Amino acid sequence: MQLVWLVTGASRGFGLELVKRILARGDRVIATARDISRLDPLLAQPDIDKTRIFVLELDVTWPSNVLQETAKKAIDHWGRVDVVVNNAAYAVSGPSEELGADMFMEFMKTNFAGPINVNNAFLPHMRARRSGTLVVFGGFAVYKSEFMGIGAYSTTKAAVHAYGETLSAELAQFNVRVLVVSPGTFDTSPRMTVHAPAHPIADYDAAREELRKRLAMRPHIPNMGDPARGMDTLVDVVRGEGRAAEKGEGGKMPLWLFLGDDSIAAAKGRAEALRDVAEEWKEVGAGLGRDDA
Ligand SMILES: NC(=O)c1ccc[n+]([C@@H]2O[C@H](COP(=O)([O-])OP(=O)(O)OC[C@H]3O[C@@H](n4cnc5c(N)ncnc54)[C@H](OP(=O)(O)O)[C@@H]3O)[C@@H](O)[C@H]2O)c1
């Protein structure tokens, strides 16, 4: 069956790669971006079937009524949208104390409120059809967050994971599937920067410098994930074919898709750490029920 996909943040990185992988499978795609001219190079490629791609401006931070109007345009184009992929996000790093609540909340607007508002704009359509798939992008930072500078970003992604998990339970009754994608480190070019605080705290000067060095090293991380392979796998899982043919029989999807060896290791590591701490400290936390007898 030919699916109609909508992808946010299709201008570069995973989003652009996903659009290419969707087209390669013969599906149709609504490629959305804040600046749609950034999709011109893709559209200029001679092997792109332009009858199966529709480009639409969409900023995930737009107010919900504007996103609803945009969703209507998207649905009207081919009469339906089967899969919505919430890929758009950004990242800034810095010590949590310097970022402060304002920066945490600023991040939330794009990385967390964005997917909620986009999904909600398409949900009346999907509920009415009793069919659809919502994909939200979390990340392995959720399970590997105990290091300097990652707090604001990993908080938004942890919120996305929790939101996606609950949403999957809420929407099962409408036959709408939810997939939480948790990529490891992939060879995209995220424009992650180190936050330049208005009021720097001198105690963090060295940490900020260390963060800058770490970001500069990102392109040299060995065995980084290949975004084309990662997005091909995502299409496999949504379509229940290729790598996911056996496990995805009958439209079955996992709740989380851990993409990349590092992501799988991070999820397993977190699961083991939770189990170990719960076991080791159980005498401290157990048996705190009210004495009703
Ligand atoms: N790459 C990795 O290693 C990795 C690991 C874990 C999770 N992820 C997640 O995977 C997703 C894609 O990451 P990526 O590496 O491909 O990032 P990327 O190369 O930085 O691309 C981010 C995309 O999001 C778009 N975007 C940002 N703010 C937006 C907004 N307000 N409205 C609409 N679009 C917006 C950007 O558009 P502009 O071009 O207009 O800026 C761009 O297309 C993100 O959710 C990220 O958190 C990535």
Side-chain angles (χ1 to χ4, degrees), residues 177 236-237 239-241 243-253:
R177 308 181 303 171
D236 277 345
V237 170
R239 294 190 55 88
E241 60 191 32
R243 278 173 172 250
E246 204 178 312
K247 293 207 184 297
E249 227 173 286
K252 199 166 167 255
M253 266 192 347

Side-chain angles (χ1 to χ4, degrees), residues 9-15 34 38 58-61 87-90 110 137-140 153 157 183-186 188-191 218:
S11 62
R12 59 193 161 92
F14 272 143
R34 294 192 279 200
R38 303 203 52 199
L58 191 160
D59 183 325
V60 301
T61 63
N87 159 75
Y90 77 109
T110 302
F137 266 68
F140 83 136
Y153 174 71
K157 292 299 177 179
T185 304
F186 275 77
T188 58
S189 306
R191 295 177 185 153
R218 189 186 191 277

Side-chain angles (χ1 to χ4, degrees), residues 9-189:
S11 62
R12 59 193 161 92
F14 272 143
L16 181 60
E17 207 50 61
L18 178 59
V19 166
K20 292 181 195 167
R21 306 323 305 162
I22 292 167
L23 290 172
R25 295 297 177 94
D27 281 348
R28 289 185 263 182
V29 62
I30 299 159
T32 74
R34 294 192 279 200
D35 174 1
I36 52 172
S37 73
R38 303 203 52 199
L39 283 150
D40 288 349
L42 175 71
L43 295 172
Q45 286 178 20
D47 54 336
I48 291 294
D49 177 357
K50 291 192 197 61
T51 64
R52 289 189 289 109
I53 181 167
F54 174 48
V55 171
L56 195 59
E57 189 185 349
L58 191 160
D59 183 325
V60 301
T61 63
W62 281 346
S64 51
N65 62 320
V66 181
L67 288 172
Q68 282 158 15
E69 286 161 21
T70 309
K72 187 175 176 324
K73 281 186 209 159
I75 294 161
D76 286 350
H77 191 73
W78 281 307
R80 67 176 205 276
V81 169
D82 301 300
V83 188
V84 172
V85 182
N86 292 274
N87 159 75
Y90 77 109
V92 174
S93 70
S96 302
E97 186 181 352
E98 276 188 347
L99 291 170
D102 287 349
M103 276 299 288
F104 273 63
M105 295 311 285
E106 189 58 34
F107 257 115
M108 283 287 190
K109 282 187 205 162
T110 302
N111 294 9
F112 181 53
I116 297 176
N117 284 332
V118 169
N119 286 339
N120 287 356
F122 285 93
L123 269 173
H125 172 68
M126 290 186 172
R127 279 190 286 99
R129 294 179 64 222
R130 291 294 193 265
S131 167
T133 302
L134 300 176
V135 178
V136 292
F137 266 68
F140 83 136
V142 170
Y143 303 118
K144 223 173 157 48
S145 46
E146 300 96 324
F147 57 90
M148 163 65 75
I150 196 78
Y153 174 71
S154 60
T155 298
T156 64
K157 292 299 177 179
V160 167
H161 278 227
Y163 158 68
E165 288 155 12
T166 300
L167 199 63
S168 75
E170 292 172 346
L171 299 182
Q173 61 180 315
F174 307 119
N175 194 35
V176 174
R177 308 181 303 171
V178 177
L179 180 68
V180 179
V181 180
S182 186
T185 304
F186 275 77
D187 191 11
T188 58
S189 306

